[in-house]
Amino acid sequence: MPSYTAPTKDMQFLLHDMLNVSASDIPGYDELDRDFTAAILDEAGKISVEVLAPLNAVGDHEGCALENGVVRTPAGFKAAYDQMREGGWMGLDADPEYGGQGMPYLMGSAVGEMFVSANMAFNMYQGLTHGAYSAIHAHGTEQQKATYLPNMIEGRWSGTMNLTEPHCGTDLGLIRTKAEPQDDGSYRITGQKIWISAGEHDLSENIIHLVLAKIPGGPDGVKGISLFIVPKFLVNDDGSLGARNSVTCGGLESKMGIHGNATCVMNHDGAVGYLVGEPHKGMRAMFTMMNEARLGVGLQGYAQGVVAYQNALGFAQDRLQGRDVTGVKNPDGPADPIIVHPDVRRNLLMQKSFVEGARAFVFWGAQMIDRAKRLEDADADAMISLLTPVIKGFLTDKGFETTVLAQQTLGGSGFTKEWGLEQFVRDARITMIYEGTNGIQSLDLVGRKLPQNGGKTIMAFFEMVKGFLKENEGHAELKAGFLDPLKAASKDLQAAGMYFMSEGLKNPNAALSGSYDFMHLFGHVSLGLMWAQMAKASYAALEAGASDEEFYKTKLATGRFHMAHQLPATAMHLARIRSGAEPVMTLDAANF
Amino acid sequence: MPSYTAPTKDMQFLLHDMLNVSASDIPGYDELDRDFTAAILDEAGKISVEVLAPLNAVGDHEGCALENGVVRTPAGFKAAYDQMREGGWMGLDADPEYGGQGMPYLMGSAVGEMFVSANMAFNMYQGLTHGAYSAIHAHGTEQQKATYLPNMIEGRWSGTMNLTEPHCGTDLGLIRTKAEPQDDGSYRITGQKIWISAGEHDLSENIIHLVLAKIPGGPDGVKGISLFIVPKFLVNDDGSLGARNSVTCGGLESKMGIHGNATCVMNHDGAVGYLVGEPHKGMRAMFTMMNEARLGVGLQGYAQGVVAYQNALGFAQDRLQGRDVTGVKNPDGPADPIIVHPDVRRNLLMQKSFVEGARAFVFWGAQMIDRAKRLEDADADAMISLLTPVIKGFLTDKGFETTVLAQQTLGGSGFTKEWGLEQFVRDARITMIYEGTNGIQSLDLVGRKLPQNGGKTIMAFFEMVKGFLKENEGHAELKAGFLDPLKAASKDLQAAGMYFMSEGLKNPNAALSGSYDFMHLFGHVSLGLMWAQMAKASYAALEAGASDEEFYKTKLATGRFHMAHQLPATAMHLARIRSGAEPVMTLDAANF
């Protein structure tokens, strides 16, 4: 069975060495001193290691079962859920006005990574609740907030997103679910929704579905979509649970991974629903949930890589096979541990350098979200909006790839269920698909986010990179190992942007044909920037005479590997982008 | 449920347009005219589509079961196996002296692709028999050949390879299984073997295990390994089955994929075994099986990509979602089929161009094997030996990647068991691991195959590419679309070889750190060469006024995509290789 270790030391490095959070001007960050964050991370690590991780394989093996309309979660999930509730983890970064702890989103991301590494399928139950909470918090009436938020923050009630229908996922303009207005101001919702994660289960007392539907007579397409609260049990005026609403689970999906999370067909048969926000303006509210969900999915992607890497490393240090070509390393044993072999090290370093870079990117992005929300900083908001598809698309592609690499480190053992690596691969796979496939992320990036604010945000990104390069060019080692490759990669990204601007205007397919490569190119530059920032922090610590020299030197060596092995990918992506629309668009659909 | 279509037209193109087989000087190739190969491919396609493919999901779902020492294969496997036997498919390319049909290895590869695409787990039962057949055929005594081969060719008996033990897979020098010599010339084999594919099952009357073991008193390490035949049932002098031998299945592995194939723990408790070849020279015989197996695994890798692509394409042509940005394509429907979207096309073309290039590579390699064997051509033998790790390592990495891309085309449906794409991903995953992980392939390539014959074989490869470029440079379109990118890629490969020569002598880790990238770089050049050859053949057909213009134009468009999108990877691999040992070797094992 795989093991999990909470990476609190690496997280502390990011919070304090790289981001220097307690010196930040973001409201609430002044509390985040080393001891305080250590205490939170230790506690979250403890419950992850002791409670959640041991249930991961159980959840995979046992899965969920639908019995007479009720979904039974795997053995142990309910007790673990209650423990999470009692620990107050579900409301960590929620609004104190409704019972949350009001911590920065950054801290929510840090503990979230641990929960996801330990047990992704389990964590989805509370993850979806958080998304629904955010939508109601941003767009609900005062009464809706008072009714639902405290219970959701407490985990007593959970939440879902009901978007997809059998004939439409991406193209939500096609949805058929109807919302008939009633005299009392409520609506009756009728239609079928599919692939609803945590749609029905036995963990919480009530489930608050957020449902996209069309009010008859509204505009066609996405402009006629409204968002509704559809509780599993109606809520009485005194807050107690009332009648069972007519929203039921019609079936569970049999799927490749995340077996511990119930993926439900949800049938709404005239279910009572309450409008959130304005009629026909549901897409805006939906995107509140969706953007949060996309960041969360990016986190899931690399978090699966984190735990997979840990187990690959353990195997590589234990497994004796072959000898170091430059001289025996383990003379008392029958062979050397496989970590002596260059290709095993290369594989491990691909994993290690990615997950550490990805974590930095997500933490850095979370800080940007806190800046946007807590300082109402529109530039920060635009920047995280630009980067959201990169975080979702790039980190899940690479996160999945990392689980595959980790599985490979184990050779044949990696293919067996016994060692558990294959579950990380199967679970990570969904992250490239849900909340908008990565192809959709790349369209969002190139079609909507690049042109936003007349291109000002992407220019601000380039300025930020340029500023960092200039500010630090005096540091010779930093320059040679990190800044120079970052500069080259950033130039490739700019060249790709220029290509889109000049060619995309003439032919939108010239830009769209390269959107996926652009997303990866952007991801590489972003992680390159993160590694340069981590390297800067590490050199600074070493130059200040930090006691834990090995830690910072390891960080630098890992970063140098990353720059040498990952950054050369940017030229490849640029070359593909520049080949334009012709190779992609020539073939007739019938001739594929 | 996924479907499968036999790609006979593409295969005929390779056999006749590209390889021009019936004009070849290889003995037996003169028979391979268009009608003859069409008849064989059609028959193989028919049984693949009608018998094997429908059992693929059944095998995955049901798996194998061990009951009182007997392994029960999934429902329908036995009947299908008998049908394959009756069709004579198992002896297609086997020696006529023992009842085989004596067809070229090339034809075995072509029909093999179909069987694997249709049902990989099923086909492994006969695939392993073929490997064991080859080892006995090459190294057995006349009596052993007469005893075992006819029954194995007929499929009445099946075969296995018993190599791995719990503490050693790659490092076979560590094996502990003992072979005690007996007075009658036989041996008693004792030890435990694991991960034995098709080790025990109910399809054949007898199972012929080929087992690596050590004769006490022999040299240490791999120089003391011998190969033995260990039949499940002993064979009487008259050829009838005798006593049950003491080799038994101790358990089945629970694993990520290929559930329809039994992966067995095999316990040898003083089992009767017969030496194959000379004592302590078992590794040579083992490599006869292993090299064949590696080529077969390379084929498995891309063959899973073939069927995955077919199903992704079907989905993309049917699924209506969104509109073509350049204008509505399906005005009568609620949306356009997703194949109109550039990123969906890009994804499909990545799949299509890979599987067609990989098929060409495997067919071309199979022709090289026929040349080596049937003309006793030592140069051809050296060339296929050089290319075997590339075929195994590159085609399985990319084949797996292709199944993942295909799954992605289906979005959420790709993650469900219902659509079946996820099974192709899980089944393809093992091909990167077994018969030597792809990391081991890259070591074999760089450490053993590159230096073979004093580097003459790799030089011959470069000469071949150069010759092709020179011979065809007068064709302007071929040059621009195919020869120029191939030339650039080939220069990158040569530069990498030079780097290994100059740096690897000083520090072997400088070469070993880049071995995996070198394998991929080599793979890209090889597939680039294949696409250039296919393009040449397509231009020739068009210029000769071929009736099926669309077919050849499609081939050219697919090839141009391949060159534009895949070949830029070579510069990335070269850059990584040139970063050398430092990034990979710096970190202490304890600091990972």
Side-chain angles (χ1 to χ4, degrees), chain A residues 241-265:
Chain A
L241 295 186
R244 180 73 167 83
N245 203 354
S246 46
V247 50
T248 53
C249 175
L252 291 181
E253 211 68 53
S254 180
K255 57 199 194 292
M256 184 185 196
I258 51 166
H259 295 161
N261 198 277
T263 306
C264 303
V265 175

Short mmCIF file of all heavy atoms in Angstrom, two decimals, chain A residues 241-265:
data_model
loop_
_atom_site.label_atom_id
_atom_site.label_comp_id
_atom_site.label_asym_id
_atom_site.label_seq_id
_atom_site.Cartn_x
_atom_site.Cartn_y
_atom_site.Cartn_z
N LEU A 241 -34.90 20.68 8.53
CA LEU A 241 -35.13 20.04 7.24
C LEU A 241 -36.59 19.68 7.07
O LEU A 241 -37.23 19.18 7.99
CB LEU A 241 -34.27 18.78 7.11
CG LEU A 241 -32.76 19.02 7.08
CD1 LEU A 241 -32.01 17.72 6.80
CD2 LEU A 241 -32.38 20.09 6.06
N GLY A 242 -37.11 19.96 5.85
CA GLY A 242 -38.50 19.66 5.56
C GLY A 242 -38.62 18.49 4.60
O GLY A 242 -37.87 17.50 4.70
N ALA A 243 -39.52 18.65 3.65
CA ALA A 243 -39.84 17.55 2.73
C ALA A 243 -38.67 17.20 1.83
O ALA A 243 -37.83 18.04 1.50
CB ALA A 243 -41.04 17.95 1.88
N ARG A 244 -38.61 15.94 1.41
CA ARG A 244 -37.63 15.49 0.42
C ARG A 244 -38.02 16.10 -0.92
O ARG A 244 -39.15 15.97 -1.38
CB ARG A 244 -37.69 13.96 0.34
CG ARG A 244 -36.73 13.30 -0.64
CD ARG A 244 -35.30 13.37 -0.14
NE ARG A 244 -34.41 12.49 -0.92
CZ ARG A 244 -33.86 12.81 -2.09
NH1 ARG A 244 -34.12 13.99 -2.63
NH2 ARG A 244 -33.07 11.95 -2.71
N ASN A 245 -37.09 16.79 -1.54
CA ASN A 245 -37.33 17.42 -2.83
C ASN A 245 -37.26 16.34 -3.92
O ASN A 245 -36.63 15.29 -3.73
CB ASN A 245 -36.27 18.50 -3.06
CG ASN A 245 -36.71 19.57 -4.06
OD1 ASN A 245 -37.76 19.47 -4.68
ND2 ASN A 245 -35.89 20.60 -4.19
N SER A 246 -37.90 16.62 -5.07
CA SER A 246 -37.90 15.57 -6.10
C SER A 246 -36.68 15.68 -7.02
O SER A 246 -36.80 15.85 -8.22
CB SER A 246 -39.21 15.61 -6.88
OG SER A 246 -39.53 16.92 -7.25
N VAL A 247 -35.52 15.62 -6.41
CA VAL A 247 -34.26 15.48 -7.14
C VAL A 247 -33.62 14.18 -6.64
O VAL A 247 -33.37 14.03 -5.44
CB VAL A 247 -33.33 16.70 -6.95
CG1 VAL A 247 -33.14 17.06 -5.48
CG2 VAL A 247 -31.98 16.45 -7.61
N THR A 248 -33.42 13.24 -7.56
CA THR A 248 -32.97 11.91 -7.12
C THR A 248 -31.84 11.41 -8.00
O THR A 248 -31.69 11.82 -9.15
CB THR A 248 -34.13 10.90 -7.20
OG1 THR A 248 -34.67 10.97 -8.53
CG2 THR A 248 -35.20 11.20 -6.19
N CYS A 249 -31.09 10.51 -7.41
CA CYS A 249 -29.98 9.90 -8.15
C CYS A 249 -30.51 8.71 -8.96
O CYS A 249 -31.02 7.75 -8.40
CB CYS A 249 -28.91 9.44 -7.17
SG CYS A 249 -27.57 8.55 -7.98
N GLY A 250 -30.37 8.80 -10.27
CA GLY A 250 -30.88 7.75 -11.15
C GLY A 250 -29.86 6.69 -11.50
O GLY A 250 -30.19 5.69 -12.15
N GLY A 251 -28.63 6.88 -11.09
CA GLY A 251 -27.61 5.89 -11.43
C GLY A 251 -26.23 6.42 -11.12
O GLY A 251 -26.03 7.63 -10.98
N LEU A 252 -25.29 5.48 -10.98
CA LEU A 252 -23.90 5.86 -10.75
C LEU A 252 -23.09 5.50 -11.99
O LEU A 252 -23.31 4.46 -12.60
CB LEU A 252 -23.32 5.12 -9.54
CG LEU A 252 -23.87 5.50 -8.17
CD1 LEU A 252 -23.17 4.67 -7.09
CD2 LEU A 252 -23.68 6.98 -7.90
N GLU A 253 -22.15 6.36 -12.31
CA GLU A 253 -21.28 6.10 -13.46
C GLU A 253 -20.20 5.09 -13.05
O GLU A 253 -19.62 5.19 -11.99
CB GLU A 253 -20.63 7.43 -13.85
CG GLU A 253 -20.33 7.57 -15.31
CD GLU A 253 -21.60 7.67 -16.15
OE1 GLU A 253 -22.46 8.53 -15.86
OE2 GLU A 253 -21.71 6.88 -17.09
N SER A 254 -19.94 4.14 -13.94
CA SER A 254 -18.82 3.23 -13.73
C SER A 254 -17.64 3.83 -14.49
O SER A 254 -17.73 4.08 -15.68
CB SER A 254 -19.19 1.86 -14.28
OG SER A 254 -18.14 0.96 -14.11
N LYS A 255 -16.55 4.09 -13.78
CA LYS A 255 -15.50 4.90 -14.41
C LYS A 255 -14.09 4.44 -14.09
O LYS A 255 -13.88 3.58 -13.25
CB LYS A 255 -15.72 6.37 -14.03
CG LYS A 255 -15.75 6.65 -12.54
CD LYS A 255 -16.43 7.99 -12.24
CE LYS A 255 -16.19 8.44 -10.80
NZ LYS A 255 -16.85 7.61 -9.76
N MET A 256 -13.13 5.07 -14.74
CA MET A 256 -11.73 4.66 -14.66
C MET A 256 -11.13 4.85 -13.27
O MET A 256 -10.29 4.06 -12.83
CB MET A 256 -10.92 5.47 -15.67
CG MET A 256 -9.46 5.07 -15.77
SD MET A 256 -8.59 6.22 -16.90
CE MET A 256 -7.09 5.29 -17.22
N GLY A 257 -11.50 5.94 -12.61
CA GLY A 257 -10.89 6.24 -11.32
C GLY A 257 -11.84 7.00 -10.41
O GLY A 257 -13.05 6.99 -10.64
N ILE A 258 -11.29 7.66 -9.38
CA ILE A 258 -12.04 8.33 -8.32
C ILE A 258 -13.31 7.54 -7.95
O ILE A 258 -14.40 8.09 -7.86
CB ILE A 258 -12.37 9.82 -8.66
CG1 ILE A 258 -13.01 9.99 -10.05
CG2 ILE A 258 -11.14 10.69 -8.53
CD1 ILE A 258 -13.65 11.41 -10.25
N HIS A 259 -13.09 6.25 -7.71
CA HIS A 259 -14.22 5.37 -7.39
C HIS A 259 -14.88 5.75 -6.06
O HIS A 259 -16.05 5.46 -5.85
CB HIS A 259 -13.76 3.92 -7.30
CG HIS A 259 -13.26 3.38 -8.61
ND1 HIS A 259 -12.46 2.27 -8.69
CD2 HIS A 259 -13.44 3.80 -9.87
CE1 HIS A 259 -12.16 2.03 -9.97
NE2 HIS A 259 -12.74 2.95 -10.69
N GLY A 260 -14.11 6.37 -5.18
CA GLY A 260 -14.67 6.72 -3.87
C GLY A 260 -15.63 7.89 -3.94
O GLY A 260 -16.34 8.18 -2.98
N ASN A 261 -15.65 8.58 -5.07
CA ASN A 261 -16.60 9.68 -5.21
C ASN A 261 -17.73 9.25 -6.14
O ASN A 261 -17.49 8.70 -7.21
CB ASN A 261 -15.91 10.94 -5.77
CG ASN A 261 -16.77 12.17 -5.50
OD1 ASN A 261 -17.69 12.46 -6.24
ND2 ASN A 261 -16.49 12.85 -4.39
N ALA A 262 -18.96 9.53 -5.69
CA ALA A 262 -20.14 9.11 -6.45
C ALA A 262 -20.38 10.06 -7.62
O ALA A 262 -20.58 11.25 -7.42
CB ALA A 262 -21.36 9.09 -5.54
N THR A 263 -20.31 9.53 -8.84
CA THR A 263 -20.60 10.32 -10.04
C THR A 263 -22.01 9.95 -10.47
O THR A 263 -22.27 8.84 -10.93
CB THR A 263 -19.60 9.98 -11.16
OG1 THR A 263 -18.28 10.15 -10.65
CG2 THR A 263 -19.80 10.88 -12.36
N CYS A 264 -22.93 10.90 -10.33
CA CYS A 264 -24.35 10.55 -10.37
C CYS A 264 -25.08 11.09 -11.59
O CYS A 264 -24.78 12.18 -12.08
CB CYS A 264 -25.06 11.13 -9.14
SG CYS A 264 -24.33 10.57 -7.58
N VAL A 265 -26.06 10.32 -12.04
CA VAL A 265 -27.13 10.85 -12.88
C VAL A 265 -28.15 11.45 -11.92
O VAL A 265 -28.62 10.79 -11.01
CB VAL A 265 -27.80 9.71 -13.69
CG1 VAL A 265 -29.00 10.24 -14.46
CG2 VAL A 265 -26.79 9.04 -14.61
#
